[in-house]
Amino acid sequence: MPALASRCLLAAACLLLLTPPTGSAAEPAPADDQRMAWWRDAKFGMFIHWGVYAAPAGNYHGEQVPWIGEWIMRQAKIPVAEYRGYAEEFVPTKYDPQAWATLAKQAGMRYVVITSKHHDGFALYDSSVTDWDIADASPYGKDLLAPLSEAVRGEGLKFGLYYSQAQDWTHPGGAKAGYDEGAGWDEAHRGRFDKYLQDIAVPQTEEILTRFKPDVLWWDTPVWMNKERAQPLHDLLSATPGIITNNRLGGGYAGDTETPEQHIPATGFKGRDWETCMTMNDTWGYKSFDHNWKSTETLLHNLVDIVSKGGNYLLNVGPTAEGEIPPESIERLQEIGAWMEVNGDAIYGTTASPCRRPEWGRLTRKGERLFLHVFDWPSDGVVRVPLRVATSYCRLLSDPSVGYSVTGGEEGLEVRLTGAAPDAVCSVVELGIEGEPEEVFQWTKPQADGRLVLAAAAAQTEGHVQQERIHGQTSLGYWTEPTDAVRWRVELPAATRFRVSAEVAAPAKAGLTVAAAGGRLGAEVTPTGGYQDFAVQELGEVSVDAGQTVLELQPRAAGWNPINLRSVTLTPVD
């Protein structure tokens, strides 16, 4: 799995390509821009975690092993000799690389990245460096990567390889998460890390670069890597000039892309290309009893959210030991593909939104075209866009014959929609613009009864907090750190004292601070049962000054536990 997992165990154990205006001559792109161009346009890729760990499928000696499937060897501390026995059960006779490539293409994905060797050290190709590979250790006896590379490229997609360069739980000397250098849970692990790099990691990296010529090399878990150890691996890349690499080699080598894992950064990465990698359920490698599947709506909203911030989405599938992608994954990818077939123009080749995310959805841009991704079709028929810009047309992307009226003012654009939402998950409105848009900051004002209703969709977030959809409503989740925060811009005609309530879901109690110009409130959220069990709770009272101010919710470090938040309501105190 990607590096976040190893960091957790160790602790416990864009540049944007803007379309030139019509009629202008584009400057020649720098070399890096030329190399990154296809990746920046692609937006959507398939991650494949596949290996021997698919045979136990999360089970060891009749017991279900907690956590992610591909870490079962480390989690259960399975001895090397015993784990090698699982290769006898890793016999992918149902493997159909063409079907996998076709599925990726149908889903609207533009590239595929598969694990050539994961942390268990098992290679999915016939390696000359070791016999711990598919050709020598499994009855299947033949390479898995070359047929997939051919099928993927035959569909017009790019082909990439993941390689765990430092962490290896089978070969002596490879890094073992949570253990000192040269140690592990088995005597067979003993060895020098530098010798492991010299004998296994460097020659295998050279093998996969030479044999498969991947378009992407996805390093993972730079445990114990310094510049001297990373440099021989980095130097091998020169033989593949167009290759794109990520930021997980170590040794100070930044690579081309940042790789947030299992979360979407609040604002992306300024000046850096980035890619969120994410699972469809809770595991990367196949785990027979993990049925916690994200909905198609959640996956599609993730894609749109990521692209609206200038990033790419690398969405994972974990095939079985027989070589089948789970039907739940196939169903979701086909449904995403159906949406992409209609609305892909608002995804591919776009750049980040020119404004903060609005309550109703997200925006992407392609030169003089703005795409409004409407998650929540407004009940009053009006989509408010926080931008000042001249417009030339406004229409439904899926049916350009359906036009909408647009008016502009000091508080931005108002698009007046008609009829019901054409797509229940995400409807896309195409807006022609003239010139550069200027962002307008809108302020939440009291309703007729004096209440301030602060919705999750209208919040500005900091840290790991991100929007998600639960039971068809937007909430703020992934509050994993005490430094995370959410904010709203509010405007009051007079200083007011409010009673504060929040609609929250929480498995454990959590301390919060509500702060604004005029006052602070220390409050406690009580358990509701779980992250999807929402209830309205009274938090206390706070005073807020007149005028424009920012109201912020911050976790209190002492006793903080993550919550999901739907809304905050401030009711004037009589």
Side-chain angles (χ1 to χ4, degrees):
M1 120 154 239
L4 179 60
S6 68
R7 290 200 300 271
C8 292
L9 266 182
L10 285 166
C14 139
L15 297 173
L16 302 176
L17 289 177
L18 296 177
T19 303
T22 303
S24 68
E27 292 293 327
D32 276 355
D33 284 353
Q34 292 176 358
R35 183 169 55 86
M36 295 297 296
W38 75 260
W39 188 93
R40 291 171 181 165
D41 286 349
K43 302 302 180 187
F44 193 26
M46 176 183 283
F47 216 176
I48 304 174
H49 277 67
W50 197 29
V52 167
Y53 41 80
N59 299 278
Y60 182 57
H61 290 177
E63 299 289 332
Q64 293 183 352
V65 178
W67 212 38
I68 45 184
E70 74 282 4
W71 276 65
I72 189 171
M73 185 182 185
R74 170 63 181 81
Q75 283 293 92
K77 296 183 174 62
I78 303 174
V80 170
E82 184 178 358
Y83 188 78
R84 279 181 173 267
Y86 284 120
E88 293 292 325
E89 303 172 35
F90 184 62
V91 189
T93 53
K94 296 181 181 179
Y95 174 46
D96 185 345
Q98 183 56 56
W100 291 14
T102 300
L103 177 63
K105 181 70 173 290
Q106 289 175 340
M109 293 163 158
R110 294 288 177 88
Y111 59 109
V112 173
V113 179
I114 186 171
T115 51
S116 63
K117 186 203 81 166
H118 205 267
H119 306 328
D120 63 356
F122 184 82
L124 295 188
Y125 66 99
D126 184 5
S127 175
S128 302
V129 177
T130 175
D131 63 357
W132 183 228
D133 62 38
I134 186 67
D136 298 305
S138 162
Y140 189 73
K142 53 187 176 182
D143 175 33
L144 296 170
L145 298 184
L148 184 62
S149 171
E150 182 179 357
V152 164
R153 286 170 164 150
E155 290 290 345
L157 312 181
K158 299 290 187 178
F159 180 73
L161 293 175
Y162 165 114
Y163 185 79
S164 175
Q165 75 279 8
Q167 191 154 201
D168 190 312
W169 304 328
T170 298
H171 295 103
K176 315 294 187 289
Y179 288 87
D180 292 335
E181 203 169 311
W185 58 90
D186 186 346
E187 283 296 312
H189 291 155
R190 296 197 173 277
R192 290 191 305 109
F193 182 55
D194 289 304
K195 182 171 174 54
Y196 159 77
L197 291 174
Q198 175 184 316
D199 293 351
I200 302 294
V202 171
Q204 277 196 329
T205 299
E206 186 172 18
E207 275 186 335
I208 62 175
L209 289 173
T210 303
R211 292 189 195 180
F212 306 108
K213 301 189 186 308
D215 300 293
V216 174
L217 183 54
W218 217 97
W219 307 109
D220 200 17
T221 62
V223 185
W224 306 333
M225 296 294 284
N226 54 32
K227 184 173 178 60
E228 291 70 30
R229 288 168 167 172
Q231 185 165 346
L233 292 161
H234 181 265
D235 289 348
L236 292 171
L237 299 174
S238 61
T240 314
I243 199 166
I244 293 170
T245 63
N246 67 350
N247 62 334
R248 298 191 184 191
L249 172 58
Y253 291 103
D256 299 301
T257 62
E258 297 295 318
T259 52
E261 179 178 326
Q262 295 286 44
H263 78 278
I264 303 169
T267 57
F269 292 84
K270 186 176 181 180
R272 285 280 286 172
D273 291 294
W274 62 278
E275 172 188 71
T276 282
C277 56
M278 194 174 286
T279 55
M280 288 197 201
N281 51 1
D282 292 330
T283 186
W284 301 88
Y286 178 69
K287 190 171 171 182
S288 61
F289 51 91
D290 184 352
H291 304 298
N292 188 28
W293 296 97
K294 298 176 180 71
S295 68
T296 300
E297 178 187 59
T298 294
L299 298 173
L300 235 169
H301 284 181
N302 286 344
L303 171 62
V304 173
D305 189 26
I306 289 165
V307 174
S308 77
K309 296 170 182 175
N312 282 20
Y313 193 25
L314 190 61
L315 185 59
N316 185 73
V317 297
T320 68
E322 292 75 30
E324 293 182 303
I325 293 174
E328 295 88 349
S329 295
I330 294 173
E331 177 185 9
R332 285 156 176 78
L333 289 176
Q334 289 175 339
E335 289 173 348
I336 293 172
W339 184 89
M340 292 286 277
E341 182 70 24
V342 175
N343 300 290
D345 193 23
I347 298 293
Y348 304 124
T350 60
T351 56
S353 170
C355 64
R356 69 192 182 281
R357 60 193 182 204
E359 295 183 29
W360 42 262
R362 300 290 185 271
L363 291 86
T364 56
R365 181 181 181 182
K366 189 178 289 183
E368 295 179 342
R369 301 160 70 201
L370 279 181
F371 300 102
L372 316 182
H373 298 258
V374 185
F375 296 169
D376 298 309
W377 199 257
S379 57
D380 63 358
V382 180
V383 164
R384 294 169 176 83
V385 184
L387 291 171
R388 278 194 291 264
V389 66
T391 61
S392 55
Y393 64 86
C394 184
R395 61 196 180 197
L396 188 65
L397 181 63
S398 61
D399 185 357
S401 67
V402 179
Y404 303 114
S405 65
V406 185
T407 57
E410 284 302 307
E411 294 193 358
L413 303 175
E414 287 191 354
V415 178
R416 299 194 172 275
L417 307 175
T418 56
D423 190 294
V425 174
C426 178
S427 305
V428 182
V429 176
E430 180 185 351
L431 187 63
I433 61 173
E434 299 172 351
E436 282 301 307
E438 177 188 356
E439 184 172 12
V440 177
F441 288 101
Q442 296 173 333
W443 300 83
T444 300
K445 299 176 183 178
Q447 297 180 351
D449 59 3
R451 292 185 307 148
L452 278 173
V453 179
L454 309 177
Q460 295 175 291
T461 61
E462 180 175 307
H464 296 82
V465 184
Q466 62 175 293
Q467 291 186 14
E468 56 183 336
R469 300 281 286 187
I470 298 176
H471 307 317
Q473 296 187 52
T474 301
S475 66
L476 299 170
Y478 297 90
W479 286 35
T480 57
E481 301 295 332
T483 53
D484 296 342
V486 297
R487 303 181 181 92
W488 291 267
R489 295 171 178 267
V490 300
E491 182 175 356
L492 298 177
T496 309
R497 186 163 184 81
F498 290 102
R499 185 174 67 254
V500 183
S501 63
E503 187 175 6
V504 294
K509 67 179 180 181
L512 273 175
T513 298
V514 182
R520 294 174 67 86
L521 163 66
E524 186 173 271
V525 172
T526 58
T528 62
Y531 287 120
Q532 299 193 12
D533 301 313
F534 287 87
V536 175
Q537 298 189 16
E538 297 293 331
L539 301 184
E541 296 185 1
V542 68
S543 295
V544 182
D545 287 347
Q548 296 177 338
T549 186
V550 173
L551 188 141
E552 179 172 283
L553 263 66
Q554 301 171 327
R556 285 190 291 165
W560 170 249
N561 287 295
I563 63 172
N564 273 338
L565 175 71
R566 270 190 185 155
S567 65
V568 176
T569 301
L570 285 75
T571 304
V573 176
D574 293 335

